[in-house]
Structures are given as structure tokens and as C-alpha cells.
């Protein structure tokens, strides 16, 4: 525990009302929460009075923790179990109510409970948990708190009867300044009066973290020429999209900067401003918002993934977005696609000239993995396709560039340097015997990057690039084969012509126009893919069982047995490297093997790195020696959000993808272990968006804390911030003027007491904020499990609530039809409530998108058909949550209050199979009606007439065709039904 954590906990315990703590991202939130719980436990156990304002009971009460992710739960639980002073339990939704009640009552021993807001709100409303048994409430996501959030609902339920402390935490300062007075509104909704700010530049925090800092090495890696060109083109495209978005005059211009566009929160900023007027925007403006998100991903993937994967992603964008996107039609987008291709390959005509649409920005690093010259190598690559020599010379060849990521080489050099230092100073490294010395931790952004870097270390970067390249080629061949089959159905083609048959159309060499460049590239890619496909087929035919587990292969002139030797060598190398790294917890080697097994054609079989030749064999031996000389490496994915520094105890950390949160975690780890030596390497691409984003994140966090400091100096918090009289409830809302004047007619102006309104709410509806708003209006909420409907307002009114997204999904799955049918079956006034979001447009679609024709995919057409099918259904449109609460109060006027026990039994069959209050079962035989509706000729429009014309199915079978035609309104339908009823049953002939 660091000294500043003790100070934060002490400041919080001093205030009996609690407080809001805003930390810098990466500071030890779990350790701080555990320290606070221990302080509260000590204070409650030493308090002699059971009515202590901070403890809530003699035994201290149970401590409730909300909104904690799984990783944070594990850290808090681990720290509390070490102290052995406080029990910890995770109360999930699947825990029975009786067991939850027993945990609540065990507060005398001191217990910390992790709960979900839905379960806790239901237990408080049903009195399974009394507020007097709660010692404190801890909220670990204060930036999500608002007037309508579940956290505010629970804080209000607890503080209405018992003034217990509420402690809220947030490690996202930039989220606390989003919107107008976000921090002040959050504090009011949680009934907190004090704000505690602990940024990284705080005097106590900086002193603790800088007392024994780690050794830091900043490594700047220069980008290649094509990478720099692609980055400049993407930034130009983003700037152009932002300029177009500024012309709408509907977005704050200060927020539209390229610097802010590097973060995910930029999308939230733009959508928050445009959502209220989204239905009035044109297609171009909506597409610009989507394009900015796509361009940010392109910029991120450029520095994260290899060249082949990046090109594959661009190909998917070209197909998926097409002409809809604005950025893809710009001049800079053409440069992005061309430079991405140039990082992977170059097309060469038979005369030796290179095909390219860009004359500038040639790549700085090219590696031709084919043996011999580029043209000659490609001709030998396609040897197995068996065309004639003249035809082979006409085929366009590929010069394989396969540009490696510059960080790969630097990472391998760093690992070799670390291994050399560990061998020289072995005694210095092993100072702490309890630590796992010598482990090198490599931190990457995601799991895929970890797997790829692990392959680069265990194999070689050239082999990894070669495998990705061959996967790309085989994917092209597969797509072309599907396109060819589809085209064959439309027009017959001569047999024996196609990519997989080894014959290719040779384009004329004199055609050098820009229109033919794409055709030349396609022909060359398919030619290379055909050679790989033929090699794969031969390898499978030779030894299918052995080839499925090999990891190397050959290309070129080697045939027969000469291909198998390097394959087995490569397989042994892969086995040795996986054995060395079998303890890797962040990214398993087995996961990489599973990914390779899932592909239809194992591309690792056809690796050109293990070609038959003395130079290739020597290179393999060198890679094998280097892999053995490397130190033990652990890979860690930052997206997994696992805190593994205390578990692995690394001596060297290589931050491959810089992240401000992980940097703070490293600082805290070193401050908690000052005697342990730690060296940290930061790998940045020089003059890249990666470095700019890292610096911008630090600057944005500092600006957020400066804004919070200013807000704290000007913040106005009510003195009676107790939670009992705050909020728009019926107790403090002004009465209407007419009602006040009518009171004077009574003796003394005394108003008779009104009956409390109550609404029965389904347990699943506590995921939404509507029960919270209804409680604010003074309505009593009764949570039960309902089989029919979501809200029961009276014995006659049942409401099925649908948000916009849920409405579309319910129509698509057919669930809404069944829900409305059951409501009409058991209630006289079924209501479908369509609720919009307050910060979004109050419309399904813009006026320009509404068509004249009825379409089965149009939401308006679906609603019209629903109303026509169920005439008794009432549809209510609500603008927001507060509007829904007002509508409910209006619907409950002059209505009886619903009965909880009856509402729970609606739609639930008894032990005898009888369903109570079934409106249809009272007048009709439900089973007979369902059988009738399934008969041929009977439709939804004529089955009611048939029911009125006959009493039973037996009478229906005796009716003549003329009478059936009168009842059904169709002569054809009557004949169809009569023929079905009079048809003879087939007999079994033995």
C-alpha cells in the first residue's frame, strides 16, 4: 500500500456522507477500495453505538459494492482475503433470494458483497434487505451516474430511511467533464457533498511514484516510406471529412479536430451533438460520421498489424463500403490503397516494367523472398501449373515486397540484448529470490498482435510474412473460384479454363492505360495463387496425414522427396519453440495452432522460407540458435484488462503499444516494490499518430483535472444533501392552481389523503431506467416476475414496453406478435409503449426515407399490420423516460390499483393445467380454435366468421360447401376446406 492511498481512505472516512473520488487512469483503484473497506470495518467494530451515522449498526452492517468488473473484483477480493478481516461474497442474479437474505443478515461478522444494480434494487423494494443493515455503499463507476441511472436509484432507496455513506470512484477523468456540470450532477444524484481529486501530478501521488522510478528507455523506430505516406493520406482524408462536417453548422467546431479524432470518445462527442437532429441530417452527413470512425481504425491498424493483414482489411472495406463512403472517393484514398499494395507486392509486366498508379513514394525496404530475379522467380513459381513456355512468358509476374513491420526487428534485437545482459550480470538480476527473475513482459494492444509477435520470435519475421501472404493469395483464389461458379451458371464457358486449372488469360503487353492496371494485378495474383494451390494439392496427395501437421514447405524447382525434409525440420523447430514458451499465460502457443487448424488450406504447409537450398538451411539453423538464446518472454494483451505484474514479477517490460493506463500500472508496481530492479522499454514509431495519441491522452487527462479543479471551486451543493427531499417527487412538486383553490371549499381547507399509486414491474425491466423515474414521481414499485407484459398499471391495463432497438429486434424475431397476443388474451386494455431516447430524434426515420408503398421491411408497415391484426391493441408513443412516467400516471387515473398476487398468476398454468383469467377460455375452446386456424382455406380474416356459424368442429364437418362459402367469403377457400374434411384417410396395405 502506498502512502497516498492511506491518505485518500482517511479523507473519505472523515465525512459521514461519503464522497466522490476521481483518480488518474491506472492508479490502484482496487487497492484503494480494499483499504477503504478495512477502515470502515475497523471504524464500525470500534463504534459502541449501533446508531452510528457511518456504520449503520453495531456489527458494522454489510458493505455493498456495485458496478465492479470481474478483473477489479478479483483484485479487491485478493487484497481483502490477505487481511482476513472481511469476508467477500459475489452475489449474482442466479443466487436464490433466501441465500441473499442470509448474506444480508450476516452483517454482524462484517461482509463485503458484490452485487448487480438490478438484484439490489429488487431486494430493497421487496424488503429482503433493510437499509439499516447496510454499512456503506460503494460505486466503482461514478462517471456513469445520472438522475436516471441505477446507481442513483439505489442510493435514493437506501438514504430515504437511513443516512448511510455513499462512496463513489472513477478513474476516467475525461468522462467526468463530458457535458454540462457532469461532476456536480453526478454528486447530486448520488447525494454526495465532497469531491476528492487525485491526479498523477498531485504532490503526494508524484512523490510516492517518483521515489524509486524504473529505468526507462525510449526507443524511436522510424516508419517506412509507404507507412508514412499512408498515414499522411489518412490524416488528409480525416481533415477533409472534418471540414465537410463543419459546413453543416450543427456541430461544435472546437471539438472537430484531428487530435481529438484519434480517440474513441470522438465518436461519442459527435453523435451526442447530432443525435437530437439525426432525422434532419442528409445521407452525406451521416456517412461522414461513419467515415471518421473507419479512418480512425485505418490509422490504428496501420501501426498495429502487418502489411498483408492491412491490405486484406482494405480489400474488405472496398467491397463493404463501395461508393457509399465519402472518403473512399477522395484522392488521398487512392494513395492509401496503392501504397498498401506496394508494401506487399509489385506487378511486373513480361517486358520487365513495373505496374503502378503512383510514381512517387517508393518503399524504402523491399525483400524479395523468391529465389533469383523477380521475373525469373515468378516464372519458376508457376512451373507446376504446366502451361507452355510462350504462355508463361506472357503472364504478368509479382515482385514480392512483403514489407515487415519495423518494430519486429527492433523487438528481436532488444530481446537478444536483454539475454546478453542477463548472461553477463546473472548475479545482479537474481536479487529477490521470491521473484521470477529474468522474465521479459511484452505488452501489446490485443491478442492477435501477441500471437503474431510470438510467431515472429519462435520462427522468423520472414516466415510469418510469407504465411500471411499465402493466406491472402489463397483467399483471392477461393473468391475467384466462387465468382467463376456463379458466372458459369449464367453463361457456359469452355471446360478446362480457370485459375485452379493452371491456365490464365494473358493481357496484351501494349495496353498500358490506367484502366488495365487492376486487371493486370488480378491476373498476376491469381497466377501466384494457382501455383500455391497446386503445390498444396500435391503435398496433400503425397502424404495427407503427415502434411496436416507440418509447418514448412517449398516453392520453386524442388520436387518429390526434397520438399519433405525442410518440412520436418520446420515442424521440429515449431515444436521446440512452443515447448520453451508453454508457460505463457497471456497468449498461448496452442491458440496459434488452433487458428491455423481452422483454415481450410493450411498455409503454413506452403512456406517459401524452407526452400530446398543450402542458404535456406543455414538461415533456419541461425533462427533456431537465436530462438534458444532469447530470454523467457511473456506476452500480455492490454485489451484483456488483466493486472498481471504482481503475478509474473517481470524484470524487463517492453511496451510494444504504448498505453497511458498501463504506464501508470508499471509506476505503481515499481513504487510498491522499490527493491526490485525494473527496466522499461517504450517502442514508438517516430513522428507517428501513435506517439501523438499517447501525448494527447496525457494532455487530455491533465486538462480534465484542471477543469474539475475549477468546477470544485465554483460548485454549489445543497446543504440538505441527505437524499430525503431531493428530486422531483410528489411530496415537493407544486400542486396545480385549480387543486389549491378547490381545497378551500372543504372545512379548514384540509385535503383528504390520497391513496398511494403503485405499479407492478417485471424483474427484467430493472435493466432500464424507467422504474427509477417512476419512483421519483412518487409511485410505489412492486417488483415481481411477470409472464405477461412488463408493467401492470391496473387490473385492466397491461403495458409492453419497447425501446427502438428492441422494437426492431422483436419484429424481426416474431416475439412481439406472441407478446401482444398473450396481452389481448388476459387483459382488456393491452398497451404497446414505444419509448424513444431523450437525446435522440423522436422519429423512426427521416421524412425523405418514408416511402409510399407498403414494404415488408419497413417498420411503419409492420406496425400497421400489427394494429390491423389486433384491433384492441393501443399504441402509446413516448418521447423520453419522464414522459412515460407522466403517461402512466394519466392512465392510472380513475383506475383501481393492481393486485400483486393476481398479476403473478396471469398466464401461469396451475397444477391441473388450467390458466386463470383467460378471456378466450371463458367463451371458446382454445385448443379447437388453434386447430381451426391451421386448416387449409382458413385465414386470419375468416376464422371468426366460421366460429360464429357453427358450434364445434363436428358441426363444421357437416356444413355444405355453399354454407362454408357464405361464412368464409370465398368459394375457393370453401372448396379447399371441404375437400380436406371429406378426404379419405390412406390405409396400410399389408
Amino acid at each position: 500500500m502506498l502512502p497516498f492511498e492511506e491518505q485518500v481512505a482517511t479523507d473519505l472516512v472523515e465525512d459521514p456522507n461519503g464522497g466522490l473520488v476521481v483518480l488518474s487512469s491506472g492508479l490502484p483503484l482496487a487497492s484503494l477500495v480494499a483499504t477503504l473497506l478495512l477502515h470502515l470495518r475497523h471504524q464500525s467494530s470500534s463504534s459502541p453505538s449501533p446508531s452510528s451515522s457511518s456504520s449503520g449498526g453495531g456489527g458494522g452492517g454489510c458493505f455493498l459494492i456495485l458496478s465492479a468488473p470481474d478483473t477489479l473484483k478479483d483484485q479487491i477480493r485478493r487484497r481483502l482475503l490477505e487481511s482476513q478481516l472481511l469476508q467477500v461474497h459475489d452475489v449474482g442474479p442466479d443466487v436464490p433470494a433466501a441465500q441473499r437474505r442470509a448474506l444480508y443478515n450476516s452483517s454482524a461478522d462484517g461482509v463485503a458483497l458484490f452485487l448487480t444494480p438490478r438484484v439490489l434494487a429488487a431486494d430493497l423494494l421487496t424488503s429482503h434487505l433493510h437499509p439499516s443493515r447496510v454499512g456503506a455503499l460503494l460505486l466503482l463507476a461514478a462517471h456513469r451516474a445520472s438522475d436516471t441511472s441505477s446507481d442513483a436509484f439505489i442510493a435514493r432507496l437506501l438514504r430515504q430511511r437511513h443516512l448511510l455513506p455513499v462512496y463513489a470512484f472513477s478513474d476516467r477523468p475525461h468522462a467526468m467533464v463530458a457535458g454540462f456540470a457532469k461532476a456536480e450532477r453526478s454528486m447530486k444524484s448520488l447525494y454526495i457533498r465532497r469531491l476528492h481529486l487525485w491526479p498523477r501530478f498531485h504532490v503526494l501521488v508524484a512523490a510516492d511514484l517518483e521515489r524509486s522510478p524504473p529505468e526507462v528507455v525510449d526507443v524511436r523506430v522510424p516508419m517506412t516510406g509507404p507507412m508514412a505516406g499512408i498515414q499522411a493520406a489518412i490524416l488528409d482524408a480525416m481533415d477533409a471529412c472534418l471540414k465537410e462536417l463543419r459546413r453543416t453548422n450543427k456541430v461544435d467546431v472546437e471539438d472537430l479536430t484531428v487530435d481529438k479524432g484519434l480517440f474513441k470518445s470522438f465518436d461519442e462527442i459527435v453523435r451526442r451533438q447530432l443525435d437530437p437532429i439525426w432525422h434532419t441530417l442528409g445521407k452525406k452527413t451521416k456517412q461522414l460520421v461513419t467515415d471518421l470512425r473507419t479512418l480512425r481504425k485505418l490509422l490504428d491498424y496501420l501501426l498495429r498489424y502487418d502489411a498483408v493483414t492491412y491490405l486484406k482489411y482494405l480489400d474488405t472495406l472496398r467491397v463493404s463500403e463501395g461508393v457509399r463512403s465519402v472518403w473512399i472517393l477522395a484522392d488521398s484514398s487512392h494513395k492509401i490503397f496503392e501504397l498498401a499494395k506496394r508494401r506487399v507486392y509489385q506487378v511486373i509486366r513480361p517486358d520487365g516494367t513495373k505496374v503502378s498508379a503512383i510514381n512517387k513514394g517508393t518503399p524504402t525496404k523491399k525483400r524479395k523472398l523468391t529465389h533469383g530475379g523477380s521475373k525469373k522467380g515468378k516464372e519458376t513459381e508457376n512451373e507446376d501449373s504446366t502451361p507452355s513456355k510462350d504462355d508463361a512468358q506472357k503472364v504478368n509476374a509479382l515482385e514480392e515486397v512483403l514489407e515487415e513491420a519495423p518494430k519486429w526487428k527492433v523487438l528481436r534485437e532488444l530481446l537478444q540484448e536483454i539475454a546478453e545482459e542477463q548472461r553477463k550480470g546473472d548475479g545482479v538480476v537474481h536479487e529477490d529470490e521470491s521473484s521470477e527473475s529474468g522474465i521479459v513482459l511484452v505488452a501489446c494492444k490485443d491478442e492477435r498482435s501477441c500471437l503474431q509477435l510470438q510467431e515472429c520470435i519462435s520462427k522468423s519475421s520472414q516466415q510469418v510474412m510469407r504465411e500471411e501472404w499465402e493466406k491472402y493469395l489463397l483467399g483471392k483464389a477461393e473468391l475467384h473460384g466462387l465468382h467463376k461458379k456463379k458466372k458459369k451458371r449464367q453463361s457456359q464457358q469452355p471446360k478446362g479454363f480457370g485459375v485452379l486449372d493452371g491456365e490464365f488469360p494473358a493481357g496484351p503487353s501494349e495496353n498500358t492505360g490506367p484502366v488495365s492496371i487492376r486487371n493486370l494485378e488480378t491476373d498476376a495474383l491469381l497466377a501466384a495463387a494457382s501455383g500455391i494451390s497446386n503445390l498444396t494439392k500435391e503435398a496433400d496427395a503425397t502424404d495427407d496425414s503427415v502434411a496436416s501437421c507440418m509447418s514448412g514447405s517449398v516453392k520453386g524447382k524442388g520436387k518429390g522427396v526434397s520438399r519433405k525434409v525442410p518440412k520436418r525440420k520446420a515442424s521440429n523447430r515449431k515444436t521446440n519453440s512452443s515447448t520453451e514458451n508453454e508457460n505463457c499465460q497471456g497468449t498461448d502457443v496452442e491458440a496459434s495452432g488452433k487458428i491455423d487448424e481452422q483454415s481450410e488450406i493450411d498455409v503454413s504447409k506452403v512456406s517459401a522460407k524452407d526452400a530446398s537450398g543450402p542458404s535456406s538451411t543455414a538461415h533456419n539453423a541461425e533462427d533456431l540458435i537465436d530462438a534458444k538464446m532469447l530470454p523467457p518472454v511473456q506476452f500480455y494483451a492490454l485489451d484483456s484488462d488483466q493486472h498481471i505484474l504482481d503475478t509474473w514479477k517481470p524484470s524487463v517490460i517492453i511496451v510494444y503499444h504504448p498505453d497511458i493506463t498501463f504506464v501508470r500500472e508499471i509506476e505503481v508496481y515499481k513504487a510498491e516494490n522499490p527493491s526490485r530492479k525494473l527496466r522499461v522499454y517504450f517502442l514508438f514509431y517516430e513522428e507517428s499518430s501513435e506517439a501523438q495519441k499517447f501525448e494527447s491522452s496525457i494532455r487530455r487527462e491533465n486538462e480534465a483535472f484542471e477543469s474539475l479543479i475549477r468546477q470544485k471551486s465554483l460548485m454549489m451543493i445543497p446543504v440538505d444533501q441527505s437524499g430525503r427531499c431531493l428530486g422531483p417527487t410528489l411530496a415537493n412538486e407544486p400542486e396545480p392552481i385549480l387543486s389549491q383553490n378547490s381545497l378551500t371549499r372543504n372545512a379548514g381547507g384540509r385535503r383528504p389523503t390520497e391513496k398511494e399509486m403503485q405499479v407492478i414491474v417485471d424483474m427484467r425491466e430493472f435493466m432500464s431506467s424507467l422504474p427509477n423515474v417512476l419512483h421519483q414521481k412518487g409511485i410505489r414499485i412492486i417488483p415481481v416476475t411477470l409472464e405477461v407484459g412488463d408493467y401492470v398499471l391496473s387490473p385492466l391495463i397491461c403495458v409492453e414496453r419497447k425501446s427502438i432497438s428492441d422494437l426492431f429486434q422483436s419484429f424481426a424475431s416474431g416475439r412481439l406478435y406472441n407478446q401482444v397476443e398473450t396481452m389481448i388474451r388476459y387483459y382488456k386494455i393491452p398497451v404497446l409503449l414505444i419509448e424513444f431516447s431523450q437525446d435522440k430524434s423522436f422519429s423512426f426515420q427521416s421524412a425523405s426515407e418514408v416511402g409510399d408503398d407498403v414494404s415488408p421491411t419497413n417498420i411503419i408497415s409492420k406496425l400497421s399490420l400489427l394494429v390491423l391484426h389486433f384491433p384492441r391493441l393501443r399504441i402509446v408513443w413516448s418521447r423520453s423516460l419522464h414522459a412515460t412516467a407522466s403517461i402512466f400516471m394519466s392512465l392510472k387515473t380513475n383506475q383501481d390499483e393492481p393486485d400483486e398476487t393476481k398479476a403473478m398468476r396471469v398466464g401461469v398454468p396451475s397444477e391441473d393445467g388450467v390458466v386463470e383469467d383467460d378471456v378466450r377460455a371463458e367463451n371458446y375452446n382454445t385448443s379447437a380454435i388453434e386447430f381451426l386456424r391451421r386448416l387449409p382455406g382458413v385465414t386470419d380474416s375468416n376464422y371468426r366468421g366460421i366460429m360464429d356459424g357453427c358450434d364445434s368442429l363436428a358441426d363444421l364437418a357437416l356444413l355444405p360447401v355453399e354454407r362454408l362459402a357464405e361464412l368464409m367469403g370465398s368459394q375457393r377457400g370453401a372448396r379447399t376446406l371441404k375437400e380436406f374434411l371429406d378426404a379419405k384417410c390412406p390405409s396400410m396395405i399389408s
Side-chain angles (χ1 to χ4, degrees):
M1 183 192 307
L2 299 178
F4 83 90
E5 300 177 33
E6 188 74 22
Q7 184 63 38
V8 175
T10 304
D11 294 344
L12 287 174
V13 173
E14 288 178 356
D15 192 349
N17 289 322
L20 171 61
V21 179
V22 181
L23 299 165
S24 288
S25 179
L27 293 185
L29 179 59
S31 177
L32 179 59
V33 172
T35 304
L36 176 62
L37 289 172
L38 294 176
H39 275 72
L40 293 174
R41 170 61 181 160
H42 177 71
Q43 183 183 24
S44 61
S45 60
S46 61
S47 176
S49 171
S51 60
S52 175
S53 60
S54 61
S55 61
C62 56
F63 304 110
L64 309 180
I65 307 174
L66 295 181
S67 306
D70 293 337
T71 56
L72 197 58
K73 287 180 183 178
D74 296 338
Q75 296 177 61
I76 297 174
R77 185 184 294 108
R78 192 185 312 115
R79 293 182 181 271
L80 290 178
L81 291 178
E82 291 175 358
S83 63
Q84 298 181 353
L85 297 176
L86 199 64
Q87 299 180 10
V88 186
H89 298 281
D90 193 354
V91 184
D94 54 343
V95 177
Q99 186 176 350
R100 293 201 305 267
R101 193 182 299 109
L103 289 174
Y104 298 148
N105 295 331
S106 63
S107 60
D109 300 331
V111 60
L113 303 177
F114 293 103
L115 298 110
T116 60
R118 183 172 68 90
V119 171
L120 182 56
D123 288 343
L124 288 172
L125 291 171
T126 54
S127 299
H128 288 169
L129 171 63
H130 197 273
S132 61
R133 295 188 176 274
V134 180
L137 176 65
L138 281 74
L139 307 173
L140 304 187
H143 49 274
R144 299 177 185 172
S146 62
D147 294 337
T148 58
S149 64
S150 301
D151 294 342
F153 185 25
I154 292 171
R156 187 188 319 114
L157 291 175
L158 288 172
R159 299 199 63 161
Q160 275 183 339
R161 305 179 187 177
H162 183 61
L163 295 181
L164 55 84
V166 178
Y167 303 101
F169 300 87
S170 175
D171 57 354
R172 298 183 184 178
H174 56 276
M176 295 299 298
V177 295
F180 176 74
K182 169 67 175 178
E184 183 175 352
R185 289 186 289 110
S186 299
M187 293 173 64
K188 287 185 178 180
S189 62
L190 299 176
Y191 313 109
I192 296 174
R193 301 187 59 214
R194 291 188 62 182
L195 175 63
H196 305 269
L197 302 177
W198 290 88
R200 171 61 179 82
F201 55 82
H202 195 283
V203 177
L204 298 180
V205 178
D208 292 340
L209 298 183
E210 296 173 3
R211 185 172 291 111
S212 59
E215 181 183 354
V216 179
V217 180
D218 192 355
V219 181
R220 299 285 174 163
V221 183
M223 292 191 298
T224 61
M227 291 178 65
I230 293 174
Q231 176 180 278
I234 294 175
L235 292 177
D236 291 343
M238 291 183 67
D239 193 28
C241 291
L242 290 174
K243 287 181 180 178
E244 289 291 330
L245 200 57
R246 290 191 192 102
R247 295 179 182 178
T248 59
N249 296 326
K250 297 178 180 179
V251 187
D252 189 3
V253 181
E254 295 182 358
D255 293 332
L256 295 183
T257 60
V258 178
D259 192 21
K260 292 185 178 180
L262 301 176
F263 300 95
K264 286 184 178 180
S265 59
F266 180 78
D267 299 335
E268 301 174 1
I269 294 173
V270 176
R271 286 303 300 264
R272 185 169 58 246
Q273 298 184 33
L274 293 179
D275 274 340
I277 55 174
W278 189 256
H279 62 290
T280 63
L281 300 176
K283 292 183 179 179
K284 183 178 180 181
T285 305
K286 294 179 181 179
Q287 188 60 43
L288 284 172
V289 178
T290 306
D291 289 346
L292 287 172
R293 186 187 304 112
T294 304
L295 289 172
R296 190 189 67 244
K297 289 182 180 179
L298 280 177
L299 197 60
D300 185 24
Y301 293 167
L302 172 65
L303 306 178
R304 193 192 303 182
Y305 298 141
D306 58 272
V308 181
T309 305
Y310 192 72
L311 178 60
K312 191 185 300 183
Y313 180 68
L314 283 175
D315 290 342
T316 59
L317 285 182
R318 190 197 296 272
V319 176
S320 60
E321 298 195 1
V323 296
R324 295 180 303 167
S325 298
V326 179
W327 73 272
I328 212 169
L329 301 177
D331 296 336
S332 56
S333 67
H334 181 67
K335 188 177 180 181
I336 294 172
F337 282 94
E338 290 301 323
L339 288 177
K341 293 176 184 177
R342 185 174 292 183
R343 296 178 65 197
V344 181
Y345 63 85
Q346 278 277 12
V347 181
I348 301 178
R349 293 192 179 93
D351 56 358
T353 59
K354 295 183 179 180
V355 178
S356 178
I358 298 180
N359 296 325
K360 298 180 180 180
T362 57
T364 58
K365 294 183 179 180
K366 288 187 179 180
R367 286 196 181 94
K368 299 197 310 180
L369 300 183
T370 56
H371 303 282
S374 59
K375 181 178 177 182
K376 182 178 178 182
K378 283 297 122 183
E379 290 175 356
T380 57
E381 177 184 340
N382 299 324
E383 241 181 37
D384 291 335
S385 58
T386 63
S388 63
K389 293 183 178 180
D390 296 333
D391 292 336
Q393 291 177 357
K394 295 180 181 180
V395 176
N396 299 305
L398 284 183
E399 179 187 0
E400 296 177 355
V401 180
L402 299 183
E403 177 184 274
E404 302 172 10
K407 279 188 178 182
W408 290 2
K409 182 179 179 181
V410 175
L411 176 63
R412 195 173 186 87
E413 292 176 352
L414 284 177
L415 292 176
Q416 293 174 355
E417 179 184 342
I418 293 168
E420 186 67 23
E421 291 181 358
Q422 288 182 355
R423 284 193 298 271
K424 290 180 179 179
D426 202 10
V428 180
V429 177
H430 294 277
E431 285 184 355
D432 191 358
E433 296 179 356
S434 62
S435 65
E436 299 181 12
S437 303
I439 290 181
V440 178
L441 179 65
V442 180
C444 303
K445 182 66 176 177
D446 55 0
E447 194 82 9
R448 189 187 186 283
S449 300
C450 294
L451 291 172
Q452 194 172 53
L453 287 179
Q454 190 172 9
E455 289 184 355
C456 291
I457 294 174
S458 60
K459 302 176 184 178
S460 71
S461 56
Q462 293 181 356
Q463 184 177 350
V464 172
M465 288 299 298
R466 186 68 196 181
E467 291 177 358
E468 294 291 339
W469 166 242
E470 286 164 349
K471 289 178 185 178
Y472 177 78
L473 288 179
L474 290 176
K476 287 284 187 180
E478 186 178 356
L479 288 176
H480 185 80
L482 294 175
H483 179 68
K484 178 187 168 186
K485 290 180 182 178
K486 184 178 180 181
K487 195 173 181 180
K488 242 181 182 180
R489 299 191 194 102
Q490 300 174 357
S491 62
Q492 294 293 331
Q493 291 182 354
K495 295 183 179 181
F497 175 83
V499 178
L500 301 182
D501 297 329
E503 297 183 9
F504 311 94
S509 59
E510 64 273 4
N511 188 4
T512 58
V515 181
S516 63
I517 291 178
R518 187 171 182 181
N519 295 331
L520 296 176
E521 290 180 354
T522 304
D523 295 341
L525 287 172
L526 294 178
S530 176
I532 295 175
S533 179
N534 291 334
L535 285 176
T536 307
K537 289 180 179 178
E538 291 181 7
D540 291 338
T542 303
D543 192 358
D544 191 19
S545 61
V546 178
S548 61
C549 61
M550 292 183 179
S551 61
S553 80
V554 296
K555 283 173 67 80
K557 297 182 179 180
K559 295 182 180 179
V561 184
S562 61
R563 288 198 191 100
K564 298 182 181 179
V565 177
K567 284 186 181 179
R568 292 194 177 98
K569 289 181 180 179
S571 178
N572 294 334
R573 183 174 67 252
K574 184 177 181 180
T575 306
N576 294 334
S577 62
S578 62
T579 306
E580 292 172 4
N581 297 311
E582 62 183 356
N583 295 326
C584 179
Q585 301 178 14
T587 55
D588 269 329
V589 185
E590 298 176 358
S592 176
K594 292 179 182 178
I595 295 174
D596 293 337
E597 291 173 3
Q598 291 174 358
S599 58
E600 295 180 2
I601 303 176
D602 194 352
V603 186
S604 60
K605 299 176 189 175
V606 288
S607 175
K609 180 181 179 301
D610 298 314
S612 59
S615 60
S616 179
T617 307
H619 190 61
N620 293 339
E622 183 181 353
D623 289 339
L624 184 61
I625 294 174
D626 290 343
K628 290 184 177 180
M629 294 174 61
L630 295 179
V633 182
Q634 299 281 8
F635 291 88
Y636 167 60
L638 297 174
D639 288 349
S640 63
D641 200 19
Q642 300 280 340
H643 296 266
I644 41 76
L645 295 178
D646 292 329
T647 304
W648 288 343
K649 298 180 176 61
S651 58
V652 178
I653 300 176
I654 299 178
V655 185
Y656 192 84
H657 294 135
D659 181 74
I660 184 174
T661 303
F662 186 64
V663 170
R664 302 272 170 73
E665 292 176 4
I666 295 174
E667 288 185 309
V668 173
Y669 166 74
K670 185 61 176 67
E672 292 177 348
N673 303 276
S675 61
R676 185 173 296 138
K677 288 191 176 182
L678 178 63
R679 180 181 299 176
V680 182
Y681 292 91
F682 287 96
L683 298 185
F684 284 99
Y685 279 115
E686 194 172 4
E687 297 180 356
S688 66
S689 60
E690 184 181 50
Q692 181 183 357
K693 183 178 180 180
F694 183 77
E695 296 170 358
S696 299
S697 61
I698 299 176
R699 183 169 58 253
R700 186 175 65 153
E701 183 181 275
N702 293 338
E703 292 175 354
F705 271 110
E706 292 174 1
S707 176
L708 288 173
I709 292 172
R710 289 193 298 269
Q711 291 182 27
K712 183 179 180 181
S713 62
L714 303 174
M715 194 175 293
M716 298 180 64
I717 301 297
V719 178
D720 57 346
Q721 182 76 311
S722 60
R724 296 187 177 182
C725 60
L726 192 66
T729 60
L730 289 179
N732 58 5
E733 280 186 348
E735 297 178 357
I737 298 177
L738 181 61
S739 176
Q740 291 176 358
N741 293 336
S742 63
L743 294 180
T744 58
R745 301 178 181 270
N746 299 330
R750 184 176 180 181
R751 184 177 180 177
T753 58
E754 295 183 358
K755 188 177 180 181
E756 183 183 18
M757 287 187 177
Q758 64 183 21
V759 174
I760 299 176
V761 183
D762 187 26
M763 290 287 292
R764 293 177 289 269
E765 276 297 304
F766 280 91
M767 299 295 292
S768 67
S769 300
L770 183 55
N772 180 15
V773 178
L774 292 175
H775 188 267
Q776 285 183 359
K777 293 289 184 179
I779 300 177
R780 182 191 173 195
I781 305 298
I782 303 176
V784 297
T785 301
L786 297 177
E787 291 293 330
V788 179
D790 293 330
Y791 297 85
V792 179
L793 305 184
S794 71
L796 305 179
I797 303 176
C798 178
V799 179
E800 181 70 31
R801 173 187 169 273
K802 294 292 181 185
S803 61
I804 302 304
S805 59
D806 192 17
L807 180 68
F808 279 86
Q809 295 175 3
S810 299
F811 269 123
S813 62
R815 187 174 73 252
L816 181 60
Y817 179 89
N818 297 328
Q819 291 172 340
V820 173
E821 189 177 28
T822 53
M823 282 197 304
I824 290 178
R825 185 170 177 175
Y826 298 106
Y827 289 94
K828 292 185 178 180
I829 308 178
V831 178
L832 173 62
L833 172 69
I834 301 177
E835 186 178 87
F836 290 78
S837 180
Q838 187 172 5
D839 55 349
K840 293 186 178 180
S841 59
F842 188 36
S843 64
F844 283 127
Q845 50 193 182
S846 61
S848 60
E849 297 176 354
V850 178
D852 299 332
D853 299 334
V854 176
S855 172
T857 59
N858 192 356
I859 186 65
I860 303 300
S861 301
K862 293 180 180 180
L863 281 173
S864 303
L865 293 174
L866 186 68
V867 174
L868 290 174
H869 192 74
F870 301 105
R872 287 175 48 209
L873 179 65
R874 300 293 180 261
I875 298 181
V876 176
W877 305 82
S878 176
R879 180 66 180 85
S880 62
L881 293 170
H882 295 282
T884 302
S886 302
I887 291 172
F888 279 8
M889 295 181 68
S890 301
L891 292 176
K892 287 181 65 61
T893 305
N894 300 326
Q895 292 285 336
D896 296 333
E897 297 300 328
D899 189 359
E900 177 182 354
T901 56
K902 290 183 179 180
M904 293 176 62
R905 289 199 304 265
V906 170
V908 181
S910 62
E911 297 180 356
D912 300 333
V914 179
V915 180
E916 299 181 3
D917 299 329
D918 191 346
V919 178
R920 293 176 58 184
E922 294 176 0
N923 303 319
Y924 303 103
N925 185 351
T926 309
S927 301
I929 293 175
E930 297 298 330
F931 180 78
L932 173 65
R933 296 181 65 179
R934 285 167 173 77
L935 293 177
V938 180
T939 61
D940 293 336
S941 59
N942 59 20
Y943 81 94
R944 296 182 181 88
I946 298 175
M947 292 167 55
D948 295 337
C950 57
D951 296 333
S952 63
L953 292 174
D955 294 342
L956 175 65
L958 300 176
L959 292 178
V961 179
E962 294 78 9
R963 178 58 178 165
L964 286 176
E966 294 177 4
L967 297 177
M968 299 175 66
S970 172
Q971 188 73 24
R972 181 178 179 182
R975 287 198 304 268
T976 303
L977 178 60
K978 190 62 178 176
E979 291 175 358
F980 174 78
L981 294 175
D982 295 343
K984 296 182 179 180
C985 295
S987 60
M988 301 296 295
I989 301 176
S990 58

